[in-house]
Amino acid sequence: MALRRRDFLGSAVVLLAVFGIPPLWRRAFPSFDFVPLDGFPGFRKLDQGPVSSGPVALIGLDAPDPSIAAERAELLKAPCAALFENHKPEDGLPIALFSDYNCPYCFVLSERLIRLEESGAPIRLVWYELPLLGDRSDRSAKAALAAAEQGQYIAAHRYLMRKVLPPGPFGLRQMAQELDLDPDKLLRDTGGEPVASSLRKSKALASALGVIGTPATVIGRTLVLGSISATNLDQLIALEAQDGPCRCLN
């Protein structure tokens, strides 16, 4: 895939962070206003840009659902390992993204991160579906997770970020045809336990992190609430890479 200038510059920033940042260039970093992240020792958070949320934003996140509350309690026994899913230092800098297919800010940020990873930057993306914005969000999230069962999550993610998935089997079969997926398996998996379990985990982690809107991104040890500019994203990735692996991942 041909790299755009934006992708190349982003990759260069991260590579500089890994192989050494000259002192003068380090001083060009912005002064981020970090605050400690409750419940995640060694982590911090950063409020950045706008988020997408709505009347349903707190459903399942403020723990009225016993299954979500139980999942959250279990995850908090080892939150870092749960968040980054058995990450290894050689995998690169871990970045977890919580997104919703109805969220315009999520489209921009997720595509930026995908292109950065594709360009060869030493990062590893971990994806969390957080459908907060209604039925379209929910059925799209389930479709993406079902596609992941066939090893096609990124292709499905990009497809669903650009298209409205109609309700019912027709939309899923059309998606399967365009992405060369097994349509019958896709339909079965959207209602299966692995997809339901993945959504419970996403809601439990969002609740633990204090996330009530999308996008939300955990870059190394920093939770970013809201959208983030391309420049700040590149510079925050570089800072996190410079600091080495999160303590919980050592």
PDB file of all heavy atoms in Angstrom, residues 168-194:
ATOM      1  N   GLY A 168     -31.318  -6.924  10.021  1.00  0.00           N
ATOM      2  CA  GLY A 168     -31.736  -8.200   9.469  1.00  0.00           C
ATOM      3  C   GLY A 168     -30.655  -8.903   8.670  1.00  0.00           C
ATOM      4  O   GLY A 168     -29.561  -8.374   8.446  1.00  0.00           O
ATOM      5  N   PRO A 169     -30.972 -10.118   8.181  1.00  0.00           N
ATOM      6  CA  PRO A 169     -29.984 -10.940   7.469  1.00  0.00           C
ATOM      7  C   PRO A 169     -29.466 -10.325   6.174  1.00  0.00           C
ATOM      8  O   PRO A 169     -28.318 -10.561   5.794  1.00  0.00           O
ATOM      9  CB  PRO A 169     -30.747 -12.243   7.184  1.00  0.00           C
ATOM     10  CG  PRO A 169     -31.849 -12.274   8.186  1.00  0.00           C
ATOM     11  CD  PRO A 169     -32.229 -10.840   8.417  1.00  0.00           C
ATOM     12  N   PHE A 170     -30.299  -9.538   5.483  1.00  0.00           N
ATOM     13  CA  PHE A 170     -29.875  -9.007   4.183  1.00  0.00           C
ATOM     14  C   PHE A 170     -28.579  -8.207   4.299  1.00  0.00           C
ATOM     15  O   PHE A 170     -27.647  -8.379   3.518  1.00  0.00           O
ATOM     16  CB  PHE A 170     -30.973  -8.140   3.574  1.00  0.00           C
ATOM     17  CG  PHE A 170     -30.528  -7.430   2.315  1.00  0.00           C
ATOM     18  CD1 PHE A 170     -30.456  -8.104   1.105  1.00  0.00           C
ATOM     19  CD2 PHE A 170     -30.155  -6.083   2.357  1.00  0.00           C
ATOM     20  CE1 PHE A 170     -30.021  -7.460  -0.050  1.00  0.00           C
ATOM     21  CE2 PHE A 170     -29.726  -5.440   1.200  1.00  0.00           C
ATOM     22  CZ  PHE A 170     -29.663  -6.123   0.004  1.00  0.00           C
ATOM     23  N   GLY A 171     -28.531  -7.298   5.275  1.00  0.00           N
ATOM     24  CA  GLY A 171     -27.342  -6.472   5.436  1.00  0.00           C
ATOM     25  C   GLY A 171     -26.106  -7.292   5.741  1.00  0.00           C
ATOM     26  O   GLY A 171     -25.011  -7.008   5.235  1.00  0.00           O
ATOM     27  N   LEU A 172     -26.250  -8.323   6.568  1.00  0.00           N
ATOM     28  CA  LEU A 172     -25.108  -9.175   6.917  1.00  0.00           C
ATOM     29  C   LEU A 172     -24.643  -9.988   5.707  1.00  0.00           C
ATOM     30  O   LEU A 172     -23.440 -10.155   5.490  1.00  0.00           O
ATOM     31  CB  LEU A 172     -25.482 -10.101   8.065  1.00  0.00           C
ATOM     32  CG  LEU A 172     -25.663  -9.423   9.423  1.00  0.00           C
ATOM     33  CD1 LEU A 172     -26.250 -10.397  10.445  1.00  0.00           C
ATOM     34  CD2 LEU A 172     -24.331  -8.866   9.935  1.00  0.00           C
ATOM     35  N   ARG A 173     -25.590 -10.474   4.920  1.00  0.00           N
ATOM     36  CA  ARG A 173     -25.206 -11.244   3.741  1.00  0.00           C
ATOM     37  C   ARG A 173     -24.526 -10.351   2.696  1.00  0.00           C
ATOM     38  O   ARG A 173     -23.576 -10.769   2.016  1.00  0.00           O
ATOM     39  CB  ARG A 173     -26.428 -11.947   3.143  1.00  0.00           C
ATOM     40  CG  ARG A 173     -26.940 -13.080   4.025  1.00  0.00           C
ATOM     41  CD  ARG A 173     -27.985 -13.932   3.333  1.00  0.00           C
ATOM     42  NE  ARG A 173     -28.409 -15.018   4.205  1.00  0.00           N
ATOM     43  CZ  ARG A 173     -27.749 -16.158   4.383  1.00  0.00           C
ATOM     44  NH1 ARG A 173     -26.614 -16.352   3.696  1.00  0.00           N
ATOM     45  NH2 ARG A 173     -28.196 -17.089   5.195  1.00  0.00           N
ATOM     46  N   GLN A 174     -24.994  -9.129   2.577  1.00  0.00           N
ATOM     47  CA  GLN A 174     -24.351  -8.187   1.656  1.00  0.00           C
ATOM     48  C   GLN A 174     -22.923  -7.879   2.116  1.00  0.00           C
ATOM     49  O   GLN A 174     -21.985  -7.855   1.309  1.00  0.00           O
ATOM     50  CB  GLN A 174     -25.167  -6.899   1.582  1.00  0.00           C
ATOM     51  CG  GLN A 174     -24.635  -5.892   0.571  1.00  0.00           C
ATOM     52  CD  GLN A 174     -25.511  -4.656   0.513  1.00  0.00           C
ATOM     53  OE1 GLN A 174     -25.926  -4.117   1.533  1.00  0.00           O
ATOM     54  NE2 GLN A 174     -25.805  -4.205  -0.710  1.00  0.00           N
ATOM     55  N   MET A 175     -22.755  -7.676   3.407  1.00  0.00           N
ATOM     56  CA  MET A 175     -21.421  -7.427   3.961  1.00  0.00           C
ATOM     57  C   MET A 175     -20.522  -8.638   3.732  1.00  0.00           C
ATOM     58  O   MET A 175     -19.351  -8.499   3.344  1.00  0.00           O
ATOM     59  CB  MET A 175     -21.544  -7.120   5.456  1.00  0.00           C
ATOM     60  CG  MET A 175     -20.230  -7.027   6.198  1.00  0.00           C
ATOM     61  SD  MET A 175     -20.497  -6.653   7.960  1.00  0.00           S
ATOM     62  CE  MET A 175     -18.970  -7.255   8.671  1.00  0.00           C
ATOM     63  N   ALA A 176     -21.053  -9.841   3.965  1.00  0.00           N
ATOM     64  CA  ALA A 176     -20.266 -11.059   3.772  1.00  0.00           C
ATOM     65  C   ALA A 176     -19.808 -11.184   2.323  1.00  0.00           C
ATOM     66  O   ALA A 176     -18.655 -11.560   2.044  1.00  0.00           O
ATOM     67  CB  ALA A 176     -21.097 -12.273   4.177  1.00  0.00           C
ATOM     68  N   GLN A 177     -20.686 -10.851   1.397  1.00  0.00           N
ATOM     69  CA  GLN A 177     -20.328 -10.932  -0.023  1.00  0.00           C
ATOM     70  C   GLN A 177     -19.214  -9.952  -0.361  1.00  0.00           C
ATOM     71  O   GLN A 177     -18.256 -10.313  -1.059  1.00  0.00           O
ATOM     72  CB  GLN A 177     -21.563 -10.654  -0.884  1.00  0.00           C
ATOM     73  CG  GLN A 177     -21.278 -10.760  -2.386  1.00  0.00           C
ATOM     74  CD  GLN A 177     -22.535 -10.533  -3.217  1.00  0.00           C
ATOM     75  OE1 GLN A 177     -23.577 -10.142  -2.700  1.00  0.00           O
ATOM     76  NE2 GLN A 177     -22.451 -10.775  -4.507  1.00  0.00           N
ATOM     77  N   GLU A 178     -19.315  -8.730   0.130  1.00  0.00           N
ATOM     78  CA  GLU A 178     -18.314  -7.710  -0.208  1.00  0.00           C
ATOM     79  C   GLU A 178     -16.955  -8.000   0.450  1.00  0.00           C
ATOM     80  O   GLU A 178     -15.922  -7.624  -0.095  1.00  0.00           O
ATOM     81  CB  GLU A 178     -18.828  -6.335   0.202  1.00  0.00           C
ATOM     82  CG  GLU A 178     -20.035  -5.877  -0.603  1.00  0.00           C
ATOM     83  CD  GLU A 178     -20.285  -4.387  -0.498  1.00  0.00           C
ATOM     84  OE1 GLU A 178     -19.304  -3.624  -0.376  1.00  0.00           O
ATOM     85  OE2 GLU A 178     -21.467  -3.985  -0.540  1.00  0.00           O
ATOM     86  N   LEU A 179     -16.971  -8.672   1.598  1.00  0.00           N
ATOM     87  CA  LEU A 179     -15.719  -8.930   2.312  1.00  0.00           C
ATOM     88  C   LEU A 179     -15.243 -10.373   2.168  1.00  0.00           C
ATOM     89  O   LEU A 179     -14.279 -10.780   2.816  1.00  0.00           O
ATOM     90  CB  LEU A 179     -15.888  -8.595   3.798  1.00  0.00           C
ATOM     91  CG  LEU A 179     -16.254  -7.146   4.123  1.00  0.00           C
ATOM     92  CD1 LEU A 179     -16.318  -6.951   5.632  1.00  0.00           C
ATOM     93  CD2 LEU A 179     -15.264  -6.170   3.501  1.00  0.00           C
ATOM     94  N   ASP A 180     -15.928 -11.150   1.321  1.00  0.00           N
ATOM     95  CA  ASP A 180     -15.572 -12.546   1.072  1.00  0.00           C
ATOM     96  C   ASP A 180     -15.595 -13.364   2.369  1.00  0.00           C
ATOM     97  O   ASP A 180     -14.659 -14.101   2.676  1.00  0.00           O
ATOM     98  CB  ASP A 180     -14.186 -12.633   0.409  1.00  0.00           C
ATOM     99  CG  ASP A 180     -13.946 -14.002  -0.230  1.00  0.00           C
ATOM    100  OD1 ASP A 180     -14.929 -14.691  -0.548  1.00  0.00           O
ATOM    101  OD2 ASP A 180     -12.766 -14.397  -0.371  1.00  0.00           O
ATOM    102  N   LEU A 181     -16.693 -13.228   3.109  1.00  0.00           N
ATOM    103  CA  LEU A 181     -16.892 -13.969   4.346  1.00  0.00           C
ATOM    104  C   LEU A 181     -17.922 -15.070   4.122  1.00  0.00           C
ATOM    105  O   LEU A 181     -18.728 -15.011   3.186  1.00  0.00           O
ATOM    106  CB  LEU A 181     -17.389 -13.034   5.451  1.00  0.00           C
ATOM    107  CG  LEU A 181     -16.490 -11.858   5.827  1.00  0.00           C
ATOM    108  CD1 LEU A 181     -17.230 -10.914   6.772  1.00  0.00           C
ATOM    109  CD2 LEU A 181     -15.200 -12.349   6.468  1.00  0.00           C
ATOM    110  N   ASP A 182     -17.913 -16.050   5.005  1.00  0.00           N
ATOM    111  CA  ASP A 182     -18.934 -17.086   4.999  1.00  0.00           C
ATOM    112  C   ASP A 182     -20.213 -16.471   5.577  1.00  0.00           C
ATOM    113  O   ASP A 182     -20.272 -16.152   6.767  1.00  0.00           O
ATOM    114  CB  ASP A 182     -18.473 -18.264   5.862  1.00  0.00           C
ATOM    115  CG  ASP A 182     -19.488 -19.398   5.930  1.00  0.00           C
ATOM    116  OD1 ASP A 182     -20.704 -19.141   5.790  1.00  0.00           O
ATOM    117  OD2 ASP A 182     -19.071 -20.538   6.170  1.00  0.00           O
ATOM    118  N   PRO A 183     -21.255 -16.272   4.760  1.00  0.00           N
ATOM    119  CA  PRO A 183     -22.439 -15.550   5.242  1.00  0.00           C
ATOM    120  C   PRO A 183     -23.201 -16.281   6.345  1.00  0.00           C
ATOM    121  O   PRO A 183     -23.695 -15.650   7.280  1.00  0.00           O
ATOM    122  CB  PRO A 183     -23.301 -15.387   3.993  1.00  0.00           C
ATOM    123  CG  PRO A 183     -22.839 -16.455   3.059  1.00  0.00           C
ATOM    124  CD  PRO A 183     -21.392 -16.655   3.350  1.00  0.00           C
ATOM    125  N   ASP A 184     -23.294 -17.605   6.243  1.00  0.00           N
ATOM    126  CA  ASP A 184     -24.029 -18.355   7.260  1.00  0.00           C
ATOM    127  C   ASP A 184     -23.313 -18.290   8.613  1.00  0.00           C
ATOM    128  O   ASP A 184     -23.945 -18.122   9.654  1.00  0.00           O
ATOM    129  CB  ASP A 184     -24.212 -19.812   6.829  1.00  0.00           C
ATOM    130  CG  ASP A 184     -25.106 -19.943   5.600  1.00  0.00           C
ATOM    131  OD1 ASP A 184     -26.032 -19.104   5.460  1.00  0.00           O
ATOM    132  OD2 ASP A 184     -24.873 -20.848   4.788  1.00  0.00           O
ATOM    133  N   LYS A 185     -22.005 -18.404   8.584  1.00  0.00           N
ATOM    134  CA  LYS A 185     -21.235 -18.299   9.827  1.00  0.00           C
ATOM    135  C   LYS A 185     -21.344 -16.898  10.411  1.00  0.00           C
ATOM    136  O   LYS A 185     -21.473 -16.720  11.628  1.00  0.00           O
ATOM    137  CB  LYS A 185     -19.766 -18.660   9.588  1.00  0.00           C
ATOM    138  CG  LYS A 185     -18.883 -18.534  10.835  1.00  0.00           C
ATOM    139  CD  LYS A 185     -17.485 -19.068  10.577  1.00  0.00           C
ATOM    140  CE  LYS A 185     -16.540 -18.755  11.741  1.00  0.00           C
ATOM    141  NZ  LYS A 185     -17.038 -19.236  13.047  1.00  0.00           N
ATOM    142  N   LEU A 186     -21.302 -15.893   9.542  1.00  0.00           N
ATOM    143  CA  LEU A 186     -21.413 -14.509  10.011  1.00  0.00           C
ATOM    144  C   LEU A 186     -22.741 -14.301  10.735  1.00  0.00           C
ATOM    145  O   LEU A 186     -22.791 -13.704  11.817  1.00  0.00           O
ATOM    146  CB  LEU A 186     -21.289 -13.541   8.836  1.00  0.00           C
ATOM    147  CG  LEU A 186     -21.226 -12.060   9.205  1.00  0.00           C
ATOM    148  CD1 LEU A 186     -19.910 -11.724   9.888  1.00  0.00           C
ATOM    149  CD2 LEU A 186     -21.400 -11.178   7.968  1.00  0.00           C
ATOM    150  N   LEU A 187     -23.816 -14.806  10.160  1.00  0.00           N
ATOM    151  CA  LEU A 187     -25.130 -14.663  10.787  1.00  0.00           C
ATOM    152  C   LEU A 187     -25.185 -15.389  12.127  1.00  0.00           C
ATOM    153  O   LEU A 187     -25.718 -14.855  13.111  1.00  0.00           O
ATOM    154  CB  LEU A 187     -26.231 -15.191   9.860  1.00  0.00           C
ATOM    155  CG  LEU A 187     -26.941 -14.132   9.010  1.00  0.00           C
ATOM    156  CD1 LEU A 187     -26.027 -13.570   7.942  1.00  0.00           C
ATOM    157  CD2 LEU A 187     -28.193 -14.713   8.352  1.00  0.00           C
ATOM    158  N   ARG A 188     -24.643 -16.594  12.176  1.00  0.00           N
ATOM    159  CA  ARG A 188     -24.644 -17.342  13.441  1.00  0.00           C
ATOM    160  C   ARG A 188     -23.821 -16.630  14.505  1.00  0.00           C
ATOM    161  O   ARG A 188     -24.245 -16.500  15.658  1.00  0.00           O
ATOM    162  CB  ARG A 188     -24.075 -18.750  13.226  1.00  0.00           C
ATOM    163  CG  ARG A 188     -24.976 -19.701  12.473  1.00  0.00           C
ATOM    164  CD  ARG A 188     -24.485 -21.138  12.649  1.00  0.00           C
ATOM    165  NE  ARG A 188     -23.080 -21.307  12.286  1.00  0.00           N
ATOM    166  CZ  ARG A 188     -22.647 -21.594  11.055  1.00  0.00           C
ATOM    167  NH1 ARG A 188     -23.530 -21.730  10.055  1.00  0.00           N
ATOM    168  NH2 ARG A 188     -21.355 -21.750  10.815  1.00  0.00           N
ATOM    169  N   ASP A 189     -22.653 -16.154  14.104  1.00  0.00           N
ATOM    170  CA  ASP A 189     -21.727 -15.600  15.100  1.00  0.00           C
ATOM    171  C   ASP A 189     -22.194 -14.269  15.674  1.00  0.00           C
ATOM    172  O   ASP A 189     -21.829 -13.924  16.804  1.00  0.00           O
ATOM    173  CB  ASP A 189     -20.329 -15.445  14.489  1.00  0.00           C
ATOM    174  CG  ASP A 189     -19.630 -16.788  14.289  1.00  0.00           C
ATOM    175  OD1 ASP A 189     -20.097 -17.791  14.879  1.00  0.00           O
ATOM    176  OD2 ASP A 189     -18.627 -16.827  13.542  1.00  0.00           O
ATOM    177  N   THR A 190     -22.980 -13.510  14.933  1.00  0.00           N
ATOM    178  CA  THR A 190     -23.456 -12.232  15.489  1.00  0.00           C
ATOM    179  C   THR A 190     -24.292 -12.445  16.750  1.00  0.00           C
ATOM    180  O   THR A 190     -24.324 -11.583  17.625  1.00  0.00           O
ATOM    181  CB  THR A 190     -24.293 -11.445  14.465  1.00  0.00           C
ATOM    182  OG1 THR A 190     -25.366 -12.269  13.990  1.00  0.00           O
ATOM    183  CG2 THR A 190     -23.447 -10.971  13.310  1.00  0.00           C
ATOM    184  N   GLY A 191     -24.958 -13.603  16.850  1.00  0.00           N
ATOM    185  CA  GLY A 191     -25.755 -13.899  18.041  1.00  0.00           C
ATOM    186  C   GLY A 191     -25.087 -14.878  18.974  1.00  0.00           C
ATOM    187  O   GLY A 191     -25.731 -15.365  19.922  1.00  0.00           O
ATOM    188  N   GLY A 192     -23.812 -15.173  18.755  1.00  0.00           N
ATOM    189  CA  GLY A 192     -23.108 -16.182  19.541  1.00  0.00           C
ATOM    190  C   GLY A 192     -22.505 -15.638  20.825  1.00  0.00           C
ATOM    191  O   GLY A 192     -22.366 -14.424  21.025  1.00  0.00           O
ATOM    192  N   GLU A 193     -22.088 -16.551  21.677  1.00  0.00           N
ATOM    193  CA  GLU A 193     -21.535 -16.177  22.976  1.00  0.00           C
ATOM    194  C   GLU A 193     -20.191 -15.444  22.874  1.00  0.00           C
ATOM    195  O   GLU A 193     -19.956 -14.504  23.643  1.00  0.00           O
ATOM    196  CB  GLU A 193     -21.395 -17.415  23.860  1.00  0.00           C
ATOM    197  CG  GLU A 193     -20.752 -17.156  25.227  1.00  0.00           C
ATOM    198  CD  GLU A 193     -21.433 -16.050  26.036  1.00  0.00           C
ATOM    199  OE1 GLU A 193     -22.647 -15.816  25.843  1.00  0.00           O
ATOM    200  OE2 GLU A 193     -20.736 -15.412  26.860  1.00  0.00           O
ATOM    201  N   PRO A 194     -19.275 -15.823  21.967  1.00  0.00           N
ATOM    202  CA  PRO A 194     -18.017 -15.056  21.887  1.00  0.00           C
ATOM    203  C   PRO A 194     -18.236 -13.569  21.625  1.00  0.00           C
ATOM    204  O   PRO A 194     -17.559 -12.718  22.213  1.00  0.00           O
ATOM    205  CB  PRO A 194     -17.271 -15.733  20.730  1.00  0.00           C
ATOM    206  CG  PRO A 194     -17.779 -17.129  20.732  1.00  0.00           C
ATOM    207  CD  PRO A 194     -19.233 -17.013  21.092  1.00  0.00           C
TER     208      PRO A 194
END
